[in-house]
Amino acid sequence: MAVSSENLRFILGLKLRTLRQERGASLKDVAERSGLSISYLSEIEKGKKYPKPDKIIDLANALGVAYDDLVSMSVTDELDPIKEVFSSTFIQEFPFEVFGLEPQDVFALVSDRPSRAGALIRTFLEIGRTYDMQVEHFLFAALRSYQQLHGNYFEELEEMAQDYRRQKEWGAGTSIPHEALYAVLVDEYDYSVDLNTLPDHPELSGFRSVYVDGASPTLLLNGDLMDIQRAFIYAREIGYCLMDVDERARTSSWLKVESYEQVLNNFRASYFAGALLIDRDPLLEHLRRIFSQPRWDGDALRECMARFDATPEMFYYRLTEVVPHFFGLDDIFFMRFHHDAGSSDFQLTKLLNMSQVPVPHGIGLREHYCRRWPAMRLLERLSDEQHNGATSREPTAPPRIRAQRSHYLNDEAEFFVLSSARPLALQPTTNSCVSLGFLINDDFKRHVQFWNDDSIPRLDVNLTCERCPLSPAQCEDRVAPPTLHEAERSQQRRENALAELTASIRDA
Protein backbone atom coordinates (compact mmCIF):
# COMPACT_ATOMS: atom_id res chain seq x y z
CA MET A 1 0.00 0.00 0.00
CA ALA A 2 1.37 3.40 -0.94
CA VAL A 3 2.10 5.35 2.23
CA SER A 4 0.46 8.74 1.75
CA SER A 5 -0.93 11.19 4.27
CA GLU A 6 -4.42 10.23 3.11
CA ASN A 7 -3.77 6.51 3.66
CA LEU A 8 -2.34 7.21 7.11
CA ARG A 9 -5.46 9.15 8.09
CA PHE A 10 -7.76 6.42 6.79
CA ILE A 11 -5.95 3.58 8.59
CA LEU A 12 -5.69 5.45 11.90
CA GLY A 13 -9.37 6.37 11.74
CA LEU A 14 -10.36 2.77 11.06
CA LYS A 15 -8.29 1.48 13.96
CA LEU A 16 -9.62 4.05 16.43
CA ARG A 17 -13.24 3.45 15.50
CA THR A 18 -12.86 -0.34 15.64
CA LEU A 19 -11.02 -0.30 18.99
CA ARG A 20 -13.56 2.07 20.51
CA GLN A 21 -16.50 -0.07 19.37
CA GLU A 22 -14.80 -3.26 20.60
CA ARG A 23 -14.57 -1.69 24.06
CA GLY A 24 -18.15 -0.51 24.01
CA ALA A 25 -16.98 3.09 24.49
CA SER A 26 -18.69 6.16 23.13
CA LEU A 27 -16.95 9.12 21.54
CA LYS A 28 -17.59 10.99 24.76
CA ASP A 29 -15.91 8.27 26.82
CA VAL A 30 -12.72 8.25 24.71
CA ALA A 31 -12.69 12.04 24.50
CA GLU A 32 -12.76 12.33 28.29
CA ARG A 33 -9.99 9.73 28.76
CA SER A 34 -7.72 11.24 26.09
CA GLY A 35 -8.38 14.91 26.73
CA LEU A 36 -9.48 15.49 23.11
CA SER A 37 -12.72 17.13 22.09
CA ILE A 38 -15.53 14.96 20.78
CA SER A 39 -15.60 16.84 17.47
CA TYR A 40 -11.84 16.44 16.94
CA LEU A 41 -12.00 12.74 17.78
CA SER A 42 -14.86 12.33 15.29
CA GLU A 43 -12.78 14.02 12.57
CA ILE A 44 -9.92 11.61 13.27
CA GLU A 45 -12.19 8.57 13.04
CA LYS A 46 -13.57 9.83 9.71
CA GLY A 47 -10.08 10.01 8.27
CA LYS A 48 -10.15 13.79 7.96
CA LYS A 49 -7.55 14.66 10.60
CA TYR A 50 -4.23 13.11 11.69
CA PRO A 51 -3.22 14.15 15.24
CA LYS A 52 0.25 15.02 16.47
CA PRO A 53 2.30 12.26 18.18
CA ASP A 54 1.47 13.43 21.73
CA LYS A 55 -2.25 13.24 20.95
CA ILE A 56 -1.81 9.73 19.51
CA ILE A 57 -0.09 8.69 22.76
CA ASP A 58 -3.09 10.01 24.70
CA LEU A 59 -5.44 8.03 22.43
CA ALA A 60 -3.35 4.85 22.82
CA ASN A 61 -3.50 5.18 26.61
CA ALA A 62 -7.24 5.84 26.53
CA LEU A 63 -7.82 2.67 24.48
CA GLY A 64 -5.21 0.54 26.24
CA VAL A 65 -3.01 -0.20 23.22
CA ALA A 66 0.58 0.53 22.27
CA TYR A 67 1.47 3.69 20.34
CA ASP A 68 3.09 1.61 17.58
CA ASP A 69 -0.12 -0.37 17.10
CA LEU A 70 -1.96 2.81 16.18
CA VAL A 71 0.61 4.39 13.85
CA SER A 72 1.68 1.27 11.94
CA MET A 73 0.12 0.41 8.58
CA SER A 74 -0.67 -3.15 9.69
CA VAL A 75 -4.32 -3.95 10.37
CA THR A 76 -6.38 -6.86 11.65
CA ASP A 77 -7.95 -9.39 9.31
CA GLU A 78 -11.29 -7.65 9.79
CA LEU A 79 -9.91 -4.35 8.51
CA ASP A 80 -7.80 -5.80 5.70
CA PRO A 81 -10.59 -5.63 3.05
CA ILE A 82 -11.16 -1.94 3.65
CA LYS A 83 -7.42 -1.26 3.59
CA GLU A 84 -7.19 -3.03 0.24
CA VAL A 85 -10.07 -0.97 -1.13
CA PHE A 86 -8.55 2.37 -0.19
CA SER A 87 -5.15 1.37 -1.56
CA SER A 88 -6.68 0.37 -4.91
CA THR A 89 -6.05 2.34 -8.08
CA PHE A 90 -9.80 2.69 -8.48
CA ILE A 91 -10.26 4.63 -5.24
CA GLN A 92 -7.13 6.71 -5.83
CA GLU A 93 -8.10 7.77 -9.36
CA PHE A 94 -11.90 7.75 -9.40
CA PRO A 95 -13.32 11.30 -9.69
CA PHE A 96 -15.58 11.37 -6.64
CA GLU A 97 -15.90 15.14 -6.99
CA VAL A 98 -18.13 14.62 -10.05
CA PHE A 99 -20.76 13.29 -7.65
CA GLY A 100 -20.08 15.88 -4.95
CA LEU A 101 -18.06 13.39 -2.88
CA GLU A 102 -14.55 12.93 -1.59
CA PRO A 103 -12.78 9.67 -0.71
CA GLN A 104 -13.35 10.57 2.95
CA ASP A 105 -17.10 10.48 2.33
CA VAL A 106 -16.84 6.93 1.00
CA PHE A 107 -14.68 6.09 4.00
CA ALA A 108 -17.35 7.41 6.35
CA LEU A 109 -20.01 5.32 4.62
CA VAL A 110 -18.13 2.06 5.05
CA SER A 111 -16.33 2.55 8.35
CA ASP A 112 -19.32 1.47 10.48
CA ARG A 113 -19.10 -2.08 9.11
CA PRO A 114 -15.56 -2.23 7.70
CA SER A 115 -15.33 -5.95 7.03
CA ARG A 116 -18.75 -6.17 5.36
CA ALA A 117 -18.47 -2.93 3.41
CA GLY A 118 -14.90 -3.65 2.41
CA ALA A 119 -15.85 -7.09 1.18
CA LEU A 120 -18.72 -5.60 -0.82
CA ILE A 121 -16.55 -3.02 -2.57
CA ARG A 122 -13.80 -5.56 -3.07
CA THR A 123 -16.39 -7.76 -4.80
CA PHE A 124 -17.10 -4.98 -7.30
CA LEU A 125 -13.38 -4.55 -7.91
CA GLU A 126 -13.03 -8.29 -8.44
CA ILE A 127 -15.88 -8.22 -10.96
CA GLY A 128 -14.05 -5.43 -12.76
CA ARG A 129 -10.86 -7.50 -12.89
CA THR A 130 -12.74 -10.59 -14.04
CA TYR A 131 -14.23 -8.71 -16.98
CA ASP A 132 -10.95 -6.92 -17.68
CA MET A 133 -12.32 -3.52 -16.73
CA GLN A 134 -9.53 -0.99 -16.34
CA VAL A 135 -9.64 2.26 -14.40
CA GLU A 136 -10.29 4.06 -17.69
CA HIS A 137 -13.63 2.23 -18.00
CA PHE A 138 -14.68 3.69 -14.66
CA LEU A 139 -13.44 7.13 -15.73
CA PHE A 140 -15.48 7.07 -18.94
CA ALA A 141 -18.49 5.84 -16.95
CA ALA A 142 -17.98 8.79 -14.60
CA LEU A 143 -17.91 11.14 -17.60
CA ARG A 144 -21.18 9.71 -18.91
CA SER A 145 -22.71 10.21 -15.47
CA TYR A 146 -21.45 13.80 -15.51
CA GLN A 147 -23.12 14.33 -18.90
CA GLN A 148 -26.38 12.80 -17.71
CA LEU A 149 -26.40 14.92 -14.55
CA HIS A 150 -26.29 18.03 -16.75
CA GLY A 151 -28.57 16.72 -19.49
CA ASN A 152 -25.49 16.81 -21.75
CA TYR A 153 -25.96 20.56 -22.11
CA PHE A 154 -23.32 23.02 -20.86
CA GLU A 155 -24.32 26.65 -21.13
CA GLU A 156 -20.85 28.03 -20.37
CA LEU A 157 -19.35 26.11 -23.31
CA GLU A 158 -22.20 27.20 -25.58
CA GLU A 159 -21.57 30.84 -24.62
CA MET A 160 -17.82 30.44 -25.06
CA ALA A 161 -18.38 29.14 -28.60
CA GLN A 162 -20.83 31.93 -29.48
CA ASP A 163 -18.57 34.61 -28.02
CA TYR A 164 -15.63 33.28 -29.99
CA ARG A 165 -17.64 33.19 -33.21
CA ARG A 166 -18.65 36.84 -32.66
CA GLN A 167 -15.10 37.82 -31.76
CA LYS A 168 -13.81 36.40 -35.05
CA GLU A 169 -16.76 37.92 -36.94
CA TRP A 170 -17.84 34.56 -38.30
CA GLY A 171 -21.50 35.08 -39.09
CA ALA A 172 -24.19 33.22 -37.16
CA GLY A 173 -24.87 29.84 -38.72
CA THR A 174 -22.16 30.14 -41.35
CA SER A 175 -19.70 27.34 -42.01
CA ILE A 176 -16.21 28.07 -40.73
CA PRO A 177 -13.53 27.00 -43.25
CA HIS A 178 -10.82 24.79 -41.83
CA GLU A 179 -8.29 27.24 -43.28
CA ALA A 180 -9.60 29.98 -40.95
CA LEU A 181 -9.25 27.75 -37.91
CA TYR A 182 -5.80 26.67 -39.05
CA ALA A 183 -4.75 30.31 -39.28
CA VAL A 184 -5.88 30.92 -35.67
CA LEU A 185 -3.76 28.06 -34.39
CA VAL A 186 -0.69 29.08 -36.35
CA ASP A 187 -0.88 32.87 -36.00
CA GLU A 188 -2.30 33.26 -32.49
CA TYR A 189 -1.12 30.14 -30.67
CA ASP A 190 2.13 29.49 -32.54
CA TYR A 191 1.21 25.97 -33.60
CA SER A 192 3.07 24.00 -36.24
CA VAL A 193 0.79 21.71 -38.25
CA ASP A 194 2.26 18.66 -40.00
CA LEU A 195 0.01 16.91 -42.54
CA ASN A 196 2.45 14.31 -43.82
CA THR A 197 3.96 12.36 -40.92
CA LEU A 198 0.91 10.42 -39.69
CA PRO A 199 -0.30 8.95 -43.03
CA ASP A 200 3.16 7.45 -43.66
CA HIS A 201 3.69 6.10 -40.14
CA PRO A 202 3.01 2.32 -40.00
CA GLU A 203 1.80 2.32 -36.37
CA LEU A 204 0.05 5.70 -36.16
CA SER A 205 -1.62 6.10 -39.55
CA GLY A 206 -5.02 5.34 -37.99
CA PHE A 207 -4.89 8.40 -35.74
CA ARG A 208 -6.56 11.56 -36.92
CA SER A 209 -4.19 13.74 -34.91
CA VAL A 210 -1.36 13.66 -32.40
CA TYR A 211 -0.49 16.64 -30.18
CA VAL A 212 3.13 17.29 -29.21
CA ASP A 213 3.51 19.94 -26.51
CA GLY A 214 6.26 22.52 -26.29
CA ALA A 215 6.84 26.25 -26.39
CA SER A 216 5.56 26.00 -29.97
CA PRO A 217 3.13 23.05 -30.01
CA THR A 218 3.12 20.68 -32.95
CA LEU A 219 -0.08 19.14 -34.26
CA LEU A 220 0.42 16.07 -36.41
CA LEU A 221 -2.72 15.93 -38.52
CA ASN A 222 -3.60 13.12 -40.86
CA GLY A 223 -3.71 14.70 -44.30
CA ASP A 224 -6.20 12.09 -45.54
CA LEU A 225 -9.01 13.55 -43.43
CA MET A 226 -12.04 15.33 -44.86
CA ASP A 227 -12.09 19.12 -44.60
CA ILE A 228 -14.80 19.12 -41.92
CA GLN A 229 -12.81 16.61 -39.86
CA ARG A 230 -9.80 18.90 -40.04
CA ALA A 231 -12.00 21.81 -38.97
CA PHE A 232 -13.24 19.88 -35.94
CA ILE A 233 -9.72 19.00 -34.79
CA TYR A 234 -8.55 22.60 -35.24
CA ALA A 235 -11.59 23.85 -33.32
CA ARG A 236 -10.93 21.38 -30.52
CA GLU A 237 -7.34 22.62 -30.24
CA ILE A 238 -8.64 26.19 -30.00
CA GLY A 239 -10.93 24.99 -27.22
CA TYR A 240 -7.97 23.56 -25.34
CA CYS A 241 -6.10 26.86 -25.76
CA LEU A 242 -9.05 28.91 -24.50
CA MET A 243 -9.49 26.66 -21.47
CA ASP A 244 -5.72 26.79 -20.78
CA VAL A 245 -5.45 23.29 -19.31
CA ASP A 246 -2.45 21.03 -18.85
CA GLU A 247 -4.28 17.72 -18.50
CA ARG A 248 -5.33 16.86 -22.05
CA ALA A 249 -5.51 14.06 -24.59
CA ARG A 250 -2.49 13.69 -26.84
CA THR A 251 -4.10 11.57 -29.53
CA SER A 252 -7.42 11.85 -31.40
CA SER A 253 -8.58 8.44 -30.15
CA TRP A 254 -7.52 7.25 -26.72
CA LEU A 255 -4.21 5.41 -26.57
CA LYS A 256 -3.76 5.76 -22.81
CA VAL A 257 -5.96 7.44 -20.21
CA GLU A 258 -3.98 9.01 -17.38
CA SER A 259 -6.56 10.92 -15.31
CA TYR A 260 -10.19 11.96 -15.12
CA GLU A 261 -9.16 15.58 -15.72
CA GLN A 262 -7.73 14.46 -19.04
CA VAL A 263 -11.00 12.74 -19.98
CA LEU A 264 -13.13 15.69 -18.84
CA ASN A 265 -11.01 18.32 -20.59
CA ASN A 266 -11.09 16.34 -23.83
CA PHE A 267 -14.88 16.20 -23.59
CA ARG A 268 -15.14 19.94 -22.90
CA ALA A 269 -12.79 20.87 -25.76
CA SER A 270 -14.76 18.59 -28.11
CA TYR A 271 -18.05 20.07 -26.93
CA PHE A 272 -16.70 23.56 -27.67
CA ALA A 273 -15.65 22.44 -31.15
CA GLY A 274 -19.09 21.05 -31.95
CA ALA A 275 -20.82 24.16 -30.62
CA LEU A 276 -18.49 26.41 -32.63
CA LEU A 277 -18.95 24.57 -35.92
CA ILE A 278 -22.68 23.80 -35.57
CA ASP A 279 -24.12 27.09 -34.34
CA ARG A 280 -26.86 26.47 -31.77
CA ASP A 281 -29.60 28.97 -32.62
CA PRO A 282 -29.63 28.44 -36.41
CA LEU A 283 -29.57 24.68 -35.76
CA LEU A 284 -32.64 24.97 -33.52
CA GLU A 285 -34.49 26.88 -36.26
CA HIS A 286 -33.78 24.11 -38.77
CA LEU A 287 -34.82 21.41 -36.33
CA ARG A 288 -38.12 23.13 -35.59
CA ARG A 289 -38.88 23.25 -39.31
CA ILE A 290 -38.00 19.59 -39.79
CA PHE A 291 -39.96 18.47 -36.74
CA SER A 292 -43.03 20.45 -37.84
CA GLN A 293 -43.36 18.53 -41.13
CA PRO A 294 -46.26 16.02 -41.22
CA ARG A 295 -44.20 13.49 -43.21
CA TRP A 296 -40.72 12.12 -42.61
CA ASP A 297 -38.22 13.56 -45.09
CA GLY A 298 -34.76 12.04 -45.07
CA ASP A 299 -33.55 14.54 -47.66
CA ALA A 300 -34.41 17.42 -45.31
CA LEU A 301 -32.21 15.90 -42.61
CA ARG A 302 -29.41 15.29 -45.12
CA GLU A 303 -29.68 18.90 -46.34
CA CYS A 304 -29.53 20.14 -42.75
CA MET A 305 -26.29 18.23 -42.20
CA ALA A 306 -24.89 19.68 -45.41
CA ARG A 307 -26.06 23.15 -44.36
CA PHE A 308 -23.75 22.95 -41.35
CA ASP A 309 -21.07 21.08 -43.30
CA ALA A 310 -21.15 18.35 -40.63
CA THR A 311 -20.47 14.64 -40.69
CA PRO A 312 -23.35 12.45 -39.47
CA GLU A 313 -21.50 11.73 -36.24
CA MET A 314 -20.86 15.41 -35.50
CA PHE A 315 -24.44 16.31 -36.36
CA TYR A 316 -26.18 13.53 -34.42
CA TYR A 317 -24.01 14.05 -31.37
CA ARG A 318 -24.71 17.77 -31.47
CA LEU A 319 -28.41 16.92 -31.32
CA THR A 320 -27.85 15.04 -28.04
CA GLU A 321 -26.65 18.36 -26.60
CA VAL A 322 -29.45 20.69 -27.71
CA VAL A 323 -32.57 18.55 -28.25
CA PRO A 324 -33.05 17.50 -24.60
CA HIS A 325 -32.51 21.04 -23.33
CA PHE A 326 -34.66 22.95 -25.85
CA PHE A 327 -37.30 20.39 -26.81
CA GLY A 328 -37.59 18.50 -23.54
CA LEU A 329 -36.86 15.17 -25.24
CA ASP A 330 -34.68 13.76 -22.47
CA ASP A 331 -34.99 10.05 -23.19
CA ILE A 332 -32.54 9.68 -26.06
CA PHE A 333 -29.54 7.55 -26.94
CA PHE A 334 -26.60 7.89 -29.31
CA MET A 335 -24.72 4.92 -30.75
CA ARG A 336 -21.89 4.43 -33.23
CA PHE A 337 -21.13 1.13 -34.94
CA HIS A 338 -18.19 0.15 -37.14
CA HIS A 339 -18.45 -2.66 -39.68
CA ASP A 340 -15.79 -4.15 -41.91
CA ALA A 341 -17.50 -4.41 -45.28
CA GLY A 342 -18.40 -8.01 -46.10
CA SER A 343 -17.88 -9.32 -42.56
CA SER A 344 -20.49 -10.47 -40.05
CA ASP A 345 -18.92 -8.52 -37.19
CA PHE A 346 -20.44 -5.28 -35.90
CA GLN A 347 -18.57 -3.28 -33.26
CA LEU A 348 -20.30 -0.83 -30.92
CA THR A 349 -17.64 1.87 -30.57
CA LYS A 350 -19.50 4.71 -28.86
CA LEU A 351 -22.61 4.96 -26.69
CA LEU A 352 -24.41 7.66 -24.74
CA ASN A 353 -27.70 6.52 -23.24
CA MET A 354 -29.73 9.27 -21.57
CA SER A 355 -32.93 7.24 -21.45
CA GLN A 356 -34.18 4.98 -18.67
CA VAL A 357 -34.41 2.04 -21.07
CA PRO A 358 -31.53 -0.46 -21.48
CA VAL A 359 -30.67 0.13 -25.13
CA PRO A 360 -27.91 -1.66 -27.06
CA HIS A 361 -24.64 -1.74 -25.17
CA GLY A 362 -21.54 -3.89 -24.83
CA ILE A 363 -23.29 -6.84 -23.22
CA GLY A 364 -22.35 -10.44 -23.87
CA LEU A 365 -19.05 -10.32 -25.70
CA ARG A 366 -20.06 -13.41 -27.70
CA GLU A 367 -23.63 -12.33 -28.37
CA HIS A 368 -25.00 -11.04 -31.66
CA TYR A 369 -26.61 -7.62 -31.74
CA CYS A 370 -30.13 -7.56 -33.13
CA ARG A 371 -29.96 -7.36 -36.93
CA ARG A 372 -33.24 -5.46 -37.01
CA TRP A 373 -31.68 -2.28 -35.69
CA PRO A 374 -31.62 0.39 -38.42
CA ALA A 375 -27.83 0.68 -38.04
CA MET A 376 -27.39 -2.99 -38.94
CA ARG A 377 -29.72 -2.69 -41.91
CA LEU A 378 -27.88 0.34 -43.23
CA LEU A 379 -24.42 -1.15 -42.76
CA GLU A 380 -25.38 -4.41 -44.48
CA ARG A 381 -26.97 -2.49 -47.34
CA LEU A 382 -23.97 -0.20 -47.75
CA SER A 383 -21.60 -3.19 -47.72
CA ASP A 384 -23.62 -4.96 -50.43
CA GLU A 385 -23.72 -1.84 -52.61
CA GLN A 386 -19.96 -1.37 -52.27
CA HIS A 387 -19.35 -5.01 -53.15
CA ASN A 388 -21.53 -4.69 -56.27
CA GLY A 389 -19.91 -1.40 -57.26
CA ALA A 390 -23.24 0.40 -56.92
CA THR A 391 -21.88 3.05 -54.56
CA SER A 392 -18.64 4.84 -53.82
CA ARG A 393 -16.31 4.09 -50.93
CA GLU A 394 -15.51 7.79 -50.63
CA PRO A 395 -16.48 9.24 -47.22
CA THR A 396 -17.60 12.45 -48.93
CA ALA A 397 -20.46 10.64 -50.67
CA PRO A 398 -23.93 11.50 -49.29
CA PRO A 399 -24.62 9.36 -46.21
CA ARG A 400 -27.26 6.65 -46.20
CA ILE A 401 -30.16 7.60 -43.90
CA ARG A 402 -32.86 5.42 -42.40
CA ALA A 403 -35.70 6.17 -39.98
CA GLN A 404 -37.36 3.39 -38.04
CA ARG A 405 -39.69 2.88 -35.10
CA SER A 406 -38.01 0.23 -32.97
CA HIS A 407 -40.18 -1.53 -30.41
CA TYR A 408 -37.85 -3.01 -27.78
CA LEU A 409 -39.39 -6.26 -26.60
CA ASN A 410 -37.19 -6.44 -23.51
CA ASP A 411 -38.75 -3.29 -22.00
CA GLU A 412 -41.90 -2.70 -24.03
CA ALA A 413 -40.54 0.70 -25.07
CA GLU A 414 -40.61 2.22 -28.53
CA PHE A 415 -37.95 4.51 -29.97
CA PHE A 416 -37.91 6.63 -33.10
CA VAL A 417 -34.41 5.96 -34.44
CA LEU A 418 -32.49 7.94 -37.05
CA SER A 419 -29.40 6.28 -38.51
CA SER A 420 -26.77 7.43 -41.02
CA ALA A 421 -23.99 5.31 -42.52
CA ARG A 422 -20.89 6.13 -44.55
CA PRO A 423 -17.32 4.84 -45.13
CA LEU A 424 -14.58 5.95 -42.74
CA ALA A 425 -12.07 8.44 -44.10
CA LEU A 426 -8.96 6.63 -42.86
CA GLN A 427 -10.30 3.07 -43.28
CA PRO A 428 -12.07 2.85 -46.65
CA THR A 429 -12.99 -0.83 -46.14
CA THR A 430 -14.72 0.00 -42.85
CA ASN A 431 -18.14 1.65 -42.67
CA SER A 432 -19.50 3.65 -39.75
CA CYS A 433 -23.10 4.15 -38.73
CA VAL A 434 -24.40 6.53 -36.07
CA SER A 435 -27.89 6.30 -34.59
CA LEU A 436 -29.97 8.70 -32.55
CA GLY A 437 -32.98 7.25 -30.75
CA PHE A 438 -35.90 9.19 -29.20
CA LEU A 439 -38.31 7.50 -26.82
CA ILE A 440 -41.79 7.86 -28.34
CA ASN A 441 -43.73 9.46 -25.50
CA ASP A 442 -46.19 12.35 -25.23
CA ASP A 443 -43.41 14.97 -25.45
CA PHE A 444 -42.01 13.42 -28.62
CA LYS A 445 -45.45 13.21 -30.22
CA ARG A 446 -46.07 16.87 -29.39
CA HIS A 447 -42.80 18.14 -30.89
CA VAL A 448 -42.30 15.78 -33.85
CA GLN A 449 -45.28 15.83 -36.18
CA PHE A 450 -44.16 12.95 -38.40
CA TRP A 451 -43.76 10.48 -35.52
CA ASN A 452 -46.62 8.32 -36.82
CA ASP A 453 -45.84 8.57 -40.54
CA ASP A 454 -47.02 5.26 -41.99
CA SER A 455 -44.07 5.22 -44.43
CA ILE A 456 -41.68 4.66 -41.52
CA PRO A 457 -41.15 0.94 -40.82
CA ARG A 458 -41.99 -0.33 -37.33
CA LEU A 459 -40.14 -3.43 -36.15
CA ASP A 460 -39.95 -5.50 -32.99
CA VAL A 461 -36.32 -5.53 -31.86
CA ASN A 462 -34.29 -6.80 -28.94
CA LEU A 463 -30.80 -6.37 -27.55
CA THR A 464 -29.30 -9.55 -28.99
CA CYS A 465 -30.46 -12.64 -30.85
CA GLU A 466 -29.54 -14.76 -27.83
CA ARG A 467 -32.00 -12.80 -25.66
CA CYS A 468 -34.87 -12.51 -28.14
CA PRO A 469 -38.17 -14.46 -27.84
CA LEU A 470 -39.07 -14.11 -31.53
CA SER A 471 -39.15 -17.39 -33.40
CA PRO A 472 -37.36 -17.89 -36.75
CA ALA A 473 -40.76 -17.62 -38.42
CA GLN A 474 -41.30 -14.23 -36.77
CA CYS A 475 -37.78 -12.94 -37.51
CA GLU A 476 -35.96 -13.92 -40.68
CA ASP A 477 -33.00 -11.75 -39.59
CA ARG A 478 -32.02 -14.00 -36.67
CA VAL A 479 -28.32 -15.00 -36.83
CA ALA A 480 -28.07 -16.97 -33.57
CA PRO A 481 -30.42 -19.18 -31.52
CA PRO A 482 -32.18 -17.68 -28.47
CA THR A 483 -29.96 -19.52 -25.98
CA LEU A 484 -30.18 -16.99 -23.15
CA HIS A 485 -33.92 -16.51 -23.61
CA GLU A 486 -34.46 -20.27 -23.47
CA ALA A 487 -32.22 -20.56 -20.41
CA GLU A 488 -34.28 -17.87 -18.68
CA ARG A 489 -37.54 -19.64 -19.57
CA SER A 490 -36.15 -22.95 -18.35
CA GLN A 491 -35.12 -21.35 -15.09
CA GLN A 492 -38.59 -19.87 -14.67
CA ARG A 493 -40.23 -23.26 -15.33
CA ARG A 494 -38.08 -24.91 -12.68
CA GLU A 495 -38.90 -22.16 -10.19
CA ASN A 496 -42.62 -22.53 -10.88
CA ALA A 497 -42.43 -26.32 -10.57
CA LEU A 498 -40.59 -26.05 -7.27
CA ALA A 499 -43.17 -23.59 -5.94
CA GLU A 500 -46.05 -25.87 -6.99
CA LEU A 501 -44.41 -28.94 -5.43
CA THR A 502 -43.67 -27.11 -2.20
CA ALA A 503 -47.25 -25.80 -2.01
CA SER A 504 -48.75 -29.26 -2.67
CA ILE A 505 -46.70 -30.86 0.12
CA ARG A 506 -47.66 -28.11 2.56
CA ASP A 507 -51.35 -28.51 1.65
CA ALA A 508 -51.16 -32.28 2.14
Side-chain angles (χ1 to χ4, degrees):
M1 180 177 185
V3 181
S4 66
S5 60
E6 190 171 76
N7 288 334
L8 288 172
R9 293 198 310 272
F10 285 155
I11 296 303
L12 177 61
L14 276 174
K15 288 182 176 181
L16 287 177
R17 189 182 189 93
T18 303
L19 287 168
R20 179 176 61 78
Q21 291 176 342
E22 286 177 352
R23 285 153 176 73
S26 65
L27 280 172
K28 181 180 179 182
D29 295 334
V30 177
E32 289 176 350
R33 296 173 196 166
S34 63
L36 303 179
S37 69
I38 295 177
S39 60
Y40 185 52
L41 182 58
S42 176
E43 293 286 281
I44 297 173
E45 286 195 358
K46 291 177 180 177
K48 295 183 178 181
K49 296 288 179 64
Y50 194 87
K52 294 180 180 180
D54 60 324
K55 302 298 184 185
I56 297 178
I57 292 174
D58 293 336
L59 286 170
N61 292 333
L63 293 166
V65 295
Y67 171 87
D68 289 344
D69 289 341
L70 286 183
V71 298
S72 73
M73 294 298 290
S74 61
V75 296
T76 63
D77 291 342
E78 182 187 21
L79 297 181
D80 188 64
I82 205 75
K83 174 184 172 181
E84 180 183 344
V85 166
F86 280 93
S87 65
S88 69
T89 305
F90 170 76
I91 291 293
Q92 293 172 12
E93 298 187 18
F94 190 79
F96 291 99
E97 64 276 4
V98 172
F99 307 96
L101 297 172
E102 295 181 3
Q104 293 93 327
D105 297 313
V106 180
F107 175 86
L109 290 174
V110 302
S111 58
D112 277 336
R113 300 276 186 174
S115 60
R116 296 182 184 181
L120 175 63
I121 299 178
R122 192 166 57 176
T123 299
F124 288 122
L125 298 178
E126 182 62 29
I127 291 172
R129 286 191 290 267
T130 301
Y131 288 92
D132 195 26
M133 295 178 65
Q134 307 300 320
V135 172
E136 62 191 59
H137 296 126
F138 291 105
L139 298 183
F140 287 124
L143 175 64
R144 289 192 291 272
S145 296
Y146 172 75
Q147 293 174 259
Q148 291 167 349
L149 285 171
H150 293 84
N152 204 33
Y153 182 80
F154 298 88
E155 184 67 37
E156 72 279 9
L157 297 175
E158 297 282 348
E159 293 301 325
M160 187 167 77
Q162 293 203 359
D163 289 345
Y164 196 77
R165 182 180 274 270
R166 286 191 291 266
Q167 175 189 331
K168 295 300 180 183
E169 298 182 349
W170 294 325
T174 60
S175 296
I176 304 174
H178 69 89
E179 295 88 352
L181 298 164
Y182 168 90
V184 170
L185 285 178
V186 172
D187 297 340
E188 297 184 22
Y189 295 106
D190 201 23
Y191 269 60
S192 296
V193 180
D194 179 338
L195 300 176
N196 302 312
T197 299
L198 284 184
D200 296 332
H201 198 290
E203 296 292 336
L204 304 177
S205 59
F207 283 115
R208 295 184 178 187
S209 66
V210 173
Y211 171 83
V212 183
D213 58 4
S216 297
T218 298
L219 183 66
L220 305 177
L221 188 71
N222 199 311
D224 294 333
L225 291 174
M226 300 162 54
D227 288 349
I228 182 56
Q229 293 172 321
R230 294 191 192 188
F232 182 84
I233 292 172
Y234 291 151
R236 184 171 58 193
E237 288 300 319
I238 292 173
Y240 272 126
C241 293
L242 292 174
M243 292 189 298
D244 191 24
V245 295
D246 295 323
E247 297 272 351
R248 57 155 296 162
R250 307 292 170 179
T251 54
S252 54
S253 54
W254 290 101
L255 183 62
K256 182 180 180 180
V257 178
E258 297 172 351
S259 69
Y260 178 71
E261 286 72 21
Q262 193 182 56
V263 172
L264 179 61
N265 290 335
N266 181 70
F267 164 75
R268 289 173 59 82
S270 299
Y271 189 109
F272 167 83
L276 182 66
L277 296 174
I278 305 179
D279 202 3
R280 180 189 63 194
D281 294 340
L283 172 62
L284 292 173
E285 292 179 12
H286 281 271
L287 290 178
R288 290 187 182 102
R289 285 199 292 270
I290 292 175
F291 288 170
S292 66
Q293 298 302 311
R295 306 285 291 181
W296 157 248
D297 185 355
D299 288 335
L301 185 68
R302 190 179 289 108
E303 290 167 5
C304 188
M305 275 188 265
R307 164 71 178 75
F308 291 96
D309 195 22
T311 65
E313 180 171 350
M314 286 174 56
F315 185 80
Y316 280 32
Y317 202 81
R318 182 70 173 128
L319 296 190
T320 69
E321 297 166 349
V322 299
V323 168
H325 186 79
F326 289 97
F327 292 90
L329 306 181
D330 301 319
D331 290 300
I332 65 174
F333 67 77
F334 172 92
M335 292 189 300
R336 180 184 67 198
F337 281 94
H338 286 173
H339 175 236
D340 291 332
S343 77
S344 59
D345 185 35
F346 298 85
Q347 295 181 320
L348 178 60
T349 56
K350 191 171 185 178
L351 170 67
L352 176 65
N353 182 16
M354 296 173 63
S355 77
Q356 303 301 312
V357 179
V359 297
H361 50 86
I363 58 175
L365 298 180
R366 293 183 177 86
E367 296 180 49
H368 298 76
Y369 292 118
C370 178
R371 295 305 195 258
R372 288 185 160 198
W373 297 343
M376 304 305 183
R377 298 260 168 135
L378 275 183
L379 288 170
E380 289 178 334
R381 173 186 165 193
L382 182 56
S383 177
D384 290 342
E385 291 178 353
Q386 290 169 339
H387 177 73
N388 297 328
T391 190
S392 169
R393 293 186 182 272
E394 291 297 322
T396 53
R400 298 287 187 275
I401 293 179
R402 177 181 174 89
Q404 177 177 306
R405 290 173 57 181
S406 295
H407 173 231
Y408 283 88
L409 295 171
N410 57 304
D411 272 273
E412 291 300 327
E414 188 169 6
F415 281 82
F416 191 102
V417 185
L418 301 174
S419 296
S420 295
R422 67 177 181 87
L424 289 176
L426 302 184
Q427 298 170 268
T429 61
T430 299
N431 298 318
S432 176
C433 185
V434 290
S435 295
L436 186 64
F438 302 87
L439 181 67
I440 299 179
N441 54 21
D442 290 341
D443 288 333
F444 185 79
K445 294 175 182 178
R446 185 170 64 255
H447 285 287
V448 181
Q449 300 304 305
F450 54 77
W451 73 271
N452 202 28
D453 186 344
D454 55 15
S455 69
I456 299 171
R458 183 182 186 273
L459 295 176
D460 289 330
V461 302
N462 214 301
L463 296 181
T464 66
C465 289
E466 286 80 356
R467 299 171 188 267
C468 185
L470 296 179
S471 67
Q474 294 172 305
C475 178
E476 60 185 16
D477 301 297
R478 178 180 287 282
V479 294
T483 52
L484 295 178
H485 173 70
E486 290 299 335
E488 183 178 342
R489 290 182 61 192
S490 177
Q491 173 73 8
Q492 188 61 56
R493 287 195 297 268
R494 288 196 297 269
E495 290 178 5
N496 293 341
L498 179 60
E500 291 173 4
L501 176 61
T502 302
S504 66
I505 293 174
R506 285 174 178 163
D507 292 342

